[in-house]
Amino acid sequence: MRYYEPAPVQMVMDRLLAEPSLSSGVVHHAYVPARPADLVAMPDWLDPGLREGLASRGITSLYRHQAEAVEAVCAGEDVVVVTPTASGKSLCYLVPTLQALAADPTARALYLFPTKALGQDQVAELGELSRAAGLHINASTYDGDTPNPIRSSVRSAGQVVVTNPDMLHAAILPHHTKWFQLFEQLRIIVIDELHTYRGLFGSHVANVLRRLLRICAHYGSHPVIVCCSATIGNPGELAALLTGRAARVVDRNGAPAGDRHILMVQPPLLDPATGARGSAQTLATRWALPFLRADRQTLVFGRSRVGVELMLSNLREALRLGDGPRTRVRGYRGGYLPTERRAVERGLRDGELLGVVCTNALELGVDVGQLDVSILAGYPGSIAATWQQMGRAGRRGGTSVSVLIAGGGPVDRYVVEHPGFLLDSPPEEARLDPDNLHVLLGHLKAACFELPFEPGERFGPSEAAPLLAFLAEEGLTRHAADDRWYWSSDNFPASSVSLRAAAEENVVIIDTTPDRPRVIGEIDIFAAQTLVHEDAIYMHESAQFHVDKLDWDERKAYVRRVDIDHYTYADRAVTLKPLETFATSPAAGGDRAHGEVMVSSLVSMFKKLKFGTDENLGWGPVHLPEIELQTTAYWLMLGTAADGWSHADLDVALLGVGRAIQAVAAVLLMVDPRDLGLVSQVRSPHNGSPTIYLYEAVPGGVGMAERLFQRHDELVAGAADLIAGCGCESGCPACTGPRLERDIDAKHLALCLLRVLVAEKDRAVVTGVAGGATSGVVPGAAA
Amino acid sequence: MTVDTSRLQRRLDGLRRERTNVERTGGHSEADPDIRRAIEAIVAAGEPFGRPQPVWQGIEPVDPATLARRLADGLDADAIETPHGWYVRRELRPVYLPIDRGRLASLPGMPASATPLLCLDTETTGLGSAAGTVAFLIGIGWWQGDRMRVVQFLLPDLSEEAALLDALAAEIPLGACLVTYNGRTFDWPLLETRYRMGRRVPPPLDGHLDLLLLVRRLFRHRLPDARLQTVERHLLRRHRAPDIPSWEIPAVYHSFLRGGPAGPVRVVARHNAEDVVTLGRILAHLDRGYGEGEVRRWAPPGDLMRLARLFRHEGRIDEAVACLEIACGPVDGGDPDVALATVELARLLRRCGRLADAGVAWSRLVSAPGPLAGLAWIELAKEREHRERDLAGAWAATDQALLALYRSRGHGNAMERRALEADLARRRARLARRLARQPA
């Protein structure tokens, strides 16, 4: 075979599919035909200068979704635009912004991006477009990197202010009087990458927006809100939850696209007994190499920074062996310097670079142009992110290929084996709960600090007075004789709320090895219990640290560099107590419910395990207080389903079913599986029945439990599918979880239980139940 | 959409229980310790009231008139009602503090003698100038003849701010120059924020003299830090009676609002009045110690050198030279400030073309300790070689320079010294060549 000869994408792909060791892993091969552009003439009311400027940049008409959005925004209607990557979403807000500024230079716009880099890109694009339109627009980023002397000019003269929610929360809103020119004339608020505002972060941002709109009202402005989102299941609902206002959903994509092949790949099963599979990273490099050798621009996405570095060095090594274009392959991840990152982006745009191995740092709207191939080593955690990473490949005029390679976990396997999730209607939803009491109270304090509350004023869903009275008992607010509520404390409340962390307090990890101790990291107190207890071995950037001291009250862990042959593993004992049931309803085999629970987590001992062999080298005690978490949960109580089971079998089956439901829930609700905790009880002390609890690992929850309750049937059916479809013999980490003992068939037990739990209507379609791979004998009865 | 109120109440009750647990286990309770310390400080100062107990009033609103009267009674002040609410006005006995405005205006950065000066200091409910920090006590001071009048405005409740702000605005004369300590970054932006919060335009000013900046430039070299009370102690040589630490002030006011006594606020008011008068005293100190004319002769050379820099930055070179000439005048005897001032003087004289005078200044430095003598000899060598055409003299000066540098080994920057030595070696070689060519 001749290497290093330019070849079309299609030809390279055909060659790869002819290779049995690769093609055998392809679970699904989808073909998406090319789509022509759906164009609409420029609106005739558009400012002539702006129209000329657009024309000079080659834009003489708009795609359908752009036209629809521009019309609506300029008519004062809130809009949420939902179209794929590279469909020209930014024009949907750039055109209305420039139109407003052309008509009235005193108008102001505020753009919110989840990260700093994205904001800087938009400032550049806005600058180019406004210069082309002959407008002199002062557009500036305002973030942690903005130098002090420039800050005051942005405050007073920035017509378009580009920032992120964290900056808005901590620096702009508490100082709104210094921004009065912005707030008095604010016409447009843009929230790009809407789908990233989910979960706890989204709940915080929703409250920051409540505060923002409150300040706008104080200064008498009524801005229109434009949201842009990648493809998710519930864009309108998400926008409404986030902004508190109904928005018009614009989702008819008018942008053209070339044809595309999508390959779903499962790494080969190496050992059916343990369920061990080949590595997604190795497979990703195998898929990437032939494209690189054929001179096709290829992106490889890794899940972690370490994974990216490994794949990068493997690819370079393989290319070096034949004098290949080794230097044209680069890495890109968080932790690289901004200049390096800009150089990589430029290199990709002008074709200088052939391949880039990256983390999701390149997933969001950073402009790198359109490439030939994208390879995903591992499911990125949500369908929306998968589409964004895949969408990096796709030239308007030619064929592109996207390869999704499943990683080791059950979620990855489930997605790859159910291509419908990815290819058909987007089933996953972004959830958030702006009324989470913990989150809401934090922002209510900040809101009261920013502006006294008027009599009867609402914050979120209800009147603020009862909550303000609660804060008054803490000496934070004051009810004055004019019936207003005033902030009455010397605290600066915004500083005690971090938008991106669950708990207010994190444990700071301090390395005492160097002469001057330095902070190497920060983890939340839950993780701290198991990772930085005294005598733990803490891993950081593949270096080992011994925890000498954990000062729990001060939230500080003191560590020291060591080089030893073992690691530590701490067991967490979780107990769960339901506090209040919000709703309950019958389900197949029992009852489902959701409500408020108290989760207590206690770590009392840890094990020392040898590297490689996992041999137990001893144990030690952990003396840490119990942590309590009040949150919401969804649970399943078994009724008749548990009849005839032995205690031991039921224990295994409940855990296996719980793990599978947890994995499916992570896919459906677009959450990190770690944000959903699992507790299974063979005999619950609270309801007497065998129960599986899934709780939200965030104080107060963000509304996922209620959705899990509503989508119960899908969860159970999905779990049955996941386990039945697994190639392992008797349970593995990719279905029922790591095996505890050799001679227990967790897979069989879990499937037996699921057979009764799957709803009547789903039985025919769920393979694990209808296929009848195993006998229908209840295992407990046989024993 | 409304939240089920009973569920909300239950959840709030849950949070209340958590809170009491924290208190029982010795977590952070109310701000009481701070307040207690503040009160102890007051009792130690012999204030004529007993140890008051903070009273928990609950969250029911209190009539502002009641609060205003309580505050006024505690502070021997007047509670005043306006259409926009109540405020408390307190006027202190004027302080004798003569000042020569004409002489003061001769100093760099000072407002013209006809501009009204208004000293201002605020006490606030927190740090920073963000929207939720309120100035609950604003003290102002201005000259009436030889006396300084001090008036304070106090806020009886957070709802009465409009009245306070209007009262302050009415007292700021047209075209006044504000005099503050760190007011450029703190007090004035905070007041601007307050006026904007009340949807009012901040009163116009004609200049703002932030004495912190001036004190840093003139006196920081001989002060342990630049805090106002340090300046008071080390520069003005005044010792305050036991005073409340600034960080305890917000707690005192919050305690008053929650039903606590007005007495501790009186201590804060005394502190504020002292601060306002100190602003005036600093101006008087500058006027009496550094103003144009005879008074400047007694100022420390280090201060004068820094004053000269301020003149130079304003382009007032002659006055800078005059300052430096006084600084390195008759006093000598190894004062390092004098030596440094002489270097600045020599450089400044050279810059404005007075080369002969510069030479005189350099020659006064040749016996100075440390590397300065080396520097002076180098300058003299240049002078003799290029202007006086005295090659032999220049040669001798380079020798002296090398010797001085050699003696000062161990002082100063070694790299710099090596560079100077290399430079001298070149100069010496050139002089040797020129001397050889010169007819004997």
Side-chain angles (χ1 to χ4, degrees):
Chain A
M1 197 188 279
R2 276 181 303 170
Y3 287 144
Y4 312 126
E5 192 182 34
V9 172
Q10 182 79 45
M11 189 194 282
V12 181
M13 192 189 64
D14 292 344
R15 208 161 65 205
L16 282 168
L17 288 175
E19 165 74 37
S21 70
L22 286 176
S23 62
S24 65
V26 177
V27 185
H28 191 81
H29 180 173
Y31 175 70
V32 184
R35 190 184 54 229
D38 183 0
L39 293 170
V40 176
M42 281 283 171
D44 47 12
W45 45 260
L46 210 61
D47 178 76
L50 179 54
R51 181 194 292 266
E52 264 172 46
L54 287 166
S56 75
R57 294 174 60 79
I59 305 167
T60 48
S61 51
L62 294 174
Y63 298 136
R64 177 158 304 281
H65 62 278
Q66 292 172 338
E68 198 182 326
V70 167
E71 289 276 359
V73 173
C74 291
E77 196 178 351
D78 286 0
V79 161
V80 48
V81 184
V82 201
T83 52
T85 315
S87 56
K89 272 198 283 273
S90 46
L91 270 196
C92 297
Y93 54 79
L94 291 180
V95 170
T97 305
L98 291 175
Q99 173 75 17
L101 284 168
D104 176 8
T106 66
R108 300 289 154 105
L110 180 68
Y111 288 11
L112 290 178
F113 291 89
T115 66
K116 286 188 260 185
L118 291 175
Q120 274 147 13
D121 274 11
Q122 286 308 317
V123 168
E125 192 175 342
L126 187 74
E128 286 169 24
L129 192 55
S130 63
R131 271 191 298 280
L135 294 166
H136 300 282
I137 304 288
N138 183 345
S140 329
T141 48
Y142 192 86
D143 56 35
D145 299 341
T146 310
N148 256 332
I150 295 181
R151 287 186 176 210
S152 70
S153 81
V154 178
R155 284 198 285 258
S156 54
Q159 289 167 294
V160 180
V161 177
V162 179
T163 186
N164 52 55
D166 310 78
M167 219 44 201
L168 183 61
H169 154 71
I172 297 179
L173 291 177
H175 293 275
H176 62 87
T177 52
K178 301 182 182 88
W179 290 88
F180 68 97
Q181 290 106 324
L182 173 74
F183 290 116
E184 278 177 350
Q185 293 295 331
L186 191 57
R187 306 284 169 80
I188 298 181
I189 298 171
V190 172
I191 305 170
D192 205 348
E193 314 288 349
L194 176 77
H195 59 281
T196 57
Y197 300 119
R198 57 178 196 261
L200 187 73
F201 180 48
S203 308
H204 275 295
V205 173
N207 280 286
V208 173
L209 292 175
R210 284 172 177 170
R211 284 161 52 198
L212 170 64
L213 294 175
R214 196 169 166 258
I215 297 294
C216 287
H218 171 72
Y219 287 98
S221 61
H222 303 279
V224 56
I225 303 179
V226 188
C227 300
C228 292
S229 171
T231 317
I232 51 170
N234 60 337
E237 187 191 5
L238 179 61
L241 273 172
L242 199 70
T243 64
R245 313 202 307 209
R248 168 175 176 164
V249 178
V250 174
D251 55 2
R252 278 190 296 171
N253 180 16
D259 58 338
R260 173 198 298 272
H261 292 270
I262 297 173
L263 302 173
M264 310 268 220
V265 176
Q266 180 79 275
L269 192 62
L270 301 177
D271 178 8
T274 57
R277 290 180 179 275
S279 133
Q281 288 168 16
T282 315
L283 205 54
T285 53
R286 283 195 65 197
W287 278 92
L289 265 175
F291 287 109
L292 291 170
R293 286 174 172 152
D295 204 26
R296 304 274 53 113
Q297 277 195 307
T298 302
L299 277 181
V300 181
F301 286 94
R303 291 285 298 272
S304 64
R305 297 176 176 198
V306 181
V308 162
E309 295 297 327
L310 279 173
M311 286 193 284
L312 181 63
S313 51
N314 289 344
L315 275 178
R316 284 186 163 174
E317 182 63 19
L319 290 171
R320 193 180 64 82
L321 290 174
D323 289 334
R326 172 172 75 90
T327 50
R328 292 177 64 198
V329 178
R330 298 278 300 269
Y332 184 103
R333 59 173 173 84
Y336 279 24
L337 293 173
T339 49
E340 285 178 88
R341 292 167 70 155
R342 295 291 99 78
V344 171
E345 289 161 19
R346 209 170 38 246
L348 276 175
R349 270 198 299 270
D350 56 25
E352 184 75 11
L353 287 182
L354 195 52
V356 168
V357 189
C358 54
T359 57
N360 61 357
L362 204 62
E363 156 194 327
L364 300 169
V366 180
D367 181 20
V368 293
Q370 297 291 293
L371 312 174
D372 296 302
V373 182
S374 63
I375 295 172
L376 283 58
Y379 172 62
S382 75
I383 303 277
T386 308
W387 273 116
Q388 288 214 314
Q389 296 188 356
M390 285 188 165
R392 286 287 167 206
R395 297 196 186 266
R396 272 167 199 172
T399 309
S400 63
V401 175
S402 299
V403 185
L404 170 60
I405 302 169
V411 176
D412 285 46
R413 242 200 63 228
Y414 187 75
V415 171
V416 167
E417 287 173 3
H418 297 78
F421 271 117
L422 188 61
L423 301 172
D424 304 337
S425 63
E428 70 180 350
E429 304 172 347
R431 310 296 315 169
L432 59 91
D433 179 10
D435 304 328
N436 174 316
L437 195 56
H438 297 261
V439 175
L440 185 100
L441 274 176
H443 289 279
L444 184 73
K445 289 179 202 170
C448 188
F449 178 88
E450 284 150 15
L451 210 58
F453 270 84
E454 297 293 322
E457 188 179 341
R458 302 165 79 88
F459 189 73
S462 55
E463 209 173 295
L467 293 166
L468 291 164
F470 173 77
L471 295 177
E473 291 167 30
E474 291 193 323
L476 295 175
T477 58
R478 172 170 180 79
H479 195 192
D482 60 356
D483 211 20
R484 287 200 184 94
W485 291 85
Y486 291 86
W487 182 251
S488 145
S489 158
D490 57 349
N491 292 338
F492 182 65
S495 68
S496 58
V497 178
S498 160
L499 304 189
R500 299 185 197 248
E504 276 185 24
E505 302 159 293
N506 285 343
V507 174
V508 177
I509 301 164
I510 300 162
D511 180 12
T512 58
T513 321
D515 289 342
R516 288 184 54 182
R518 67 192 180 102
V519 173
I520 55 170
E522 208 175 311
I523 52 176
D524 63 88
I525 56 170
F526 288 94
Q529 277 189 314
T530 56
L531 293 181
V532 293
H533 57 80
E534 282 176 15
D535 291 328
I537 302 298
Y538 175 72
M539 304 285 289
H540 185 83
E541 287 184 354
S542 66
Q544 291 171 302
F545 294 88
H546 178 267
V547 181
D548 294 333
K549 185 173 183 310
L550 172 60
D551 189 335
W552 190 251
D553 296 328
E554 289 289 318
R555 304 275 188 255
K556 281 179 186 150
Y558 297 92
V559 303
R560 174 171 46 86
R561 257 316 271 276
V562 287
D563 188 11
I564 46 177
D565 63 342
H566 69 270
Y567 64 99
T568 55
Y569 177 84
D571 260 329
R572 183 195 296 275
V574 177
T575 52
L576 184 145
K577 185 173 75 175
L579 299 176
E580 191 183 355
T581 307
F582 295 158
T584 174
S585 123
D591 291 292
R592 63 195 160 111
H594 77 102
E596 191 157 45
V597 295
M598 178 69 84
V599 181
S600 317
S601 144
L602 182 66
V603 175
S604 55
M605 64 161 285
F606 71 96
K607 283 184 268 195
K608 295 179 187 168
L609 301 172
K610 199 175 167 94
F611 272 121
T613 62
D614 289 349
E615 187 187 338
N616 195 334
L617 299 177
W619 65 280
V622 177
H623 301 289
L624 286 178
E626 193 174 54
I627 300 182
E628 289 197 330
L629 168 71
Q630 192 174 339
T631 182
T632 54
Y634 139 86
W635 60 91
L636 169 63
M637 293 163 282
L638 271 56
T640 55
D643 291 348
W645 284 71
S646 77
H647 187 282
D649 284 346
L650 192 58
D651 195 13
V652 175
L654 285 173
L655 196 59
V657 171
R659 288 219 174 97
I661 291 182
Q662 190 181 13
V664 176
V667 178
L668 288 183
L669 295 195
M670 215 171 164
V671 294
D672 191 318
R674 280 169 303 184
D675 288 345
L676 282 177
L678 169 69
V679 170
S680 68
Q681 294 169 345
V682 175
R683 193 182 146 77
S684 160
H686 310 288
N687 56 43
S689 317
T691 309
I692 297 170
Y693 294 94
L694 281 186
Y695 64 87
E696 299 188 50
V698 161
V702 293
M704 291 189 289
E706 188 174 356
R707 282 303 284 163
L708 291 172
F709 170 76
Q710 287 160 0
R711 301 184 72 169
H712 168 83
D713 290 352
E714 285 168 80
L715 292 176
V716 176
D721 237 9
L722 177 75
I723 298 177
C726 188
C728 68
E729 281 171 0
S730 48
C732 72
C735 61
T736 55
R739 297 183 64 184
L740 302 172
E741 280 160 57
R742 283 253 158 216
D743 47 350
I744 292 178
D745 189 345
K747 189 175 177 182
H748 173 66
L749 292 170
L751 277 176
C752 284
L753 187 58
L754 279 165
R755 198 160 297 143
V756 226
L757 295 177
V758 170
E760 203 70 54
K761 61 176 170 60
D762 293 329
R763 286 201 185 156
V765 290
V766 175
T767 50
V769 181
T774 47
S775 73
V777 180
V778 171
Chain B
M1 190 171 72
T2 56
V3 151
D4 175 0
T5 3
S6 61
R7 191 194 285 178
L8 180 67
Q9 278 307 337
R10 272 201 303 283
R11 301 186 72 181
L12 286 176
D13 286 342
L15 288 179
R16 284 191 181 96
R17 277 195 301 279
E18 272 176 36
R19 190 164 66 206
T20 44
N21 284 344
V22 170
E23 273 164 29
R24 215 177 35 239
T25 53
H28 35 235
S29 62
E30 280 219 14
D32 283 357
D34 299 352
I35 298 167
R36 207 171 305 129
R37 249 195 309 280
I39 291 163
E40 271 158 18
I42 293 149
V43 172
E47 278 295 314
F49 48 80
R51 172 173 295 229
Q53 296 294 317
V55 187
W56 175 246
Q57 247 179 7
I59 56 166
E60 284 313 304
V62 182
D63 179 19
T66 316
L67 280 168
R69 289 202 191 93
R70 216 150 59 72
L71 198 56
D73 289 350
L75 271 75
D76 299 325
D78 304 314
I80 296 171
E81 190 179 12
T82 76
H84 292 113
W86 288 80
Y87 73 94
V88 171
R89 185 179 194 279
R90 179 176 191 237
E91 172 138 21
L92 287 89
R93 214 174 47 214
V95 182
Y96 179 69
L97 193 59
I99 190 164
D100 181 342
R101 283 294 306 275
R103 191 168 54 184
L104 184 70
S106 71
L107 287 170
M110 288 295 163
S113 57
T115 308
L117 296 181
L118 190 79
C119 300
L120 178 140
D121 188 48
T122 61
E123 308 303 329
T124 60
T125 59
L127 293 174
S129 55
T133 306
V134 179
F136 69 85
L137 166 51
I138 303 165
I140 53 173
W142 68 96
W143 269 276
Q144 222 164 45
D146 279 347
R147 286 170 199 280
M148 184 179 223
R149 271 183 71 187
V150 178
V151 171
Q152 293 177 317
F153 303 99
L154 290 108
L155 190 62
D157 200 346
L158 298 172
S159 53
E160 310 303 299
E161 206 183 3
L164 179 85
L165 294 175
D166 290 346
L168 174 67
E171 292 278 3
I172 299 183
L174 209 63
C177 175
L178 207 61
V179 181
T180 61
Y181 205 76
N182 196 26
R184 270 187 189 280
T185 44
F186 182 66
D187 301 72
W188 190 247
L190 178 92
L191 286 175
E192 280 184 321
T193 291
R194 298 325 305 165
Y195 280 100
R196 293 232 172 79
M197 289 284 284
R199 312 256 28 204
R200 285 165 158 73
V201 180
L205 296 178
D206 188 18
H208 183 164
L209 177 62
D210 188 337
L211 291 177
L212 173 64
L213 307 178
L214 200 63
V215 162
R216 277 210 187 116
R217 288 191 189 132
L218 286 180
F219 309 116
R220 182 66 181 85
H221 65 108
R222 56 191 179 98
L223 298 174
D225 58 62
R227 290 183 304 136
L228 186 61
Q229 304 211 10
T230 311
V231 172
E232 202 172 83
R233 199 159 50 243
H234 290 266
L235 200 65
L236 308 178
R237 305 202 174 281
R238 295 184 66 89
H239 291 270
R240 253 187 220 202
D243 193 13
I244 182 165
S246 313
W247 55 271
E248 288 184 352
I249 289 174
V252 168
Y253 184 63
H254 290 306
S255 164
F256 164 76
L257 284 184
R258 276 178 231 139
V265 182
R266 186 193 180 97
V267 180
V268 176
R270 195 181 64 193
H271 164 94
N272 175 265
E274 284 281 345
D275 281 0
V276 171
V277 175
T278 295
L279 293 174
R281 288 204 177 103
I282 293 176
L283 285 179
H285 182 79
L286 287 170
D287 162 41
R288 281 200 295 262
Y290 302 85
E292 204 166 23
E294 214 34 42
V295 292
R296 212 174 269 167
R297 305 227 155 261
W298 309 105
D303 295 0
L304 287 174
M305 177 171 69
R306 287 164 177 88
L307 181 61
R309 285 181 196 158
L310 292 183
F311 275 123
R312 208 178 66 214
H313 286 155
E314 282 196 359
R316 297 158 71 175
I317 304 294
D318 292 348
E319 284 159 286
V321 169
C323 260
L324 285 170
E325 274 170 346
I326 300 169
C328 43
V331 229
D332 203 356
D335 185 342
D337 277 341
V338 173
L340 282 172
T342 313
V343 172
E344 295 214 358
L345 176 64
R347 286 190 174 148
L348 197 59
L349 287 170
R350 190 179 59 201
R351 236 184 67 189
C352 51
R354 292 165 60 183
L355 298 178
D357 295 337
V360 172
W362 286 121
S363 63
R364 288 169 58 180
L365 272 172
V366 296
S367 58
L372 282 180
L375 214 61
W377 278 117
I378 292 172
E379 294 298 333
L380 285 176
K382 287 183 196 167
E383 173 88 5
R384 288 177 189 171
E385 181 184 349
H386 300 299
R387 210 173 60 82
E388 296 174 8
R389 312 269 171 211
D390 171 11
L391 296 184
W395 171 272
T398 52
D399 268 358
Q400 290 288 347
L402 279 169
L403 187 66
L405 285 179
Y406 179 77
R407 279 191 189 133
S408 72
R409 276 178 188 213
H411 297 277
N413 186 332
M415 283 249 290
E416 244 170 55
R417 204 193 54 233
R418 272 198 293 279
L420 285 178
E421 281 172 353
D423 184 55
L424 274 171
R426 274 194 300 278
R427 184 179 300 280
R428 224 161 163 264
R430 189 178 63 231
L431 282 169
R433 276 198 308 277
R434 290 183 66 182
L435 274 171
R437 275 202 302 270
Q438 210 173 40

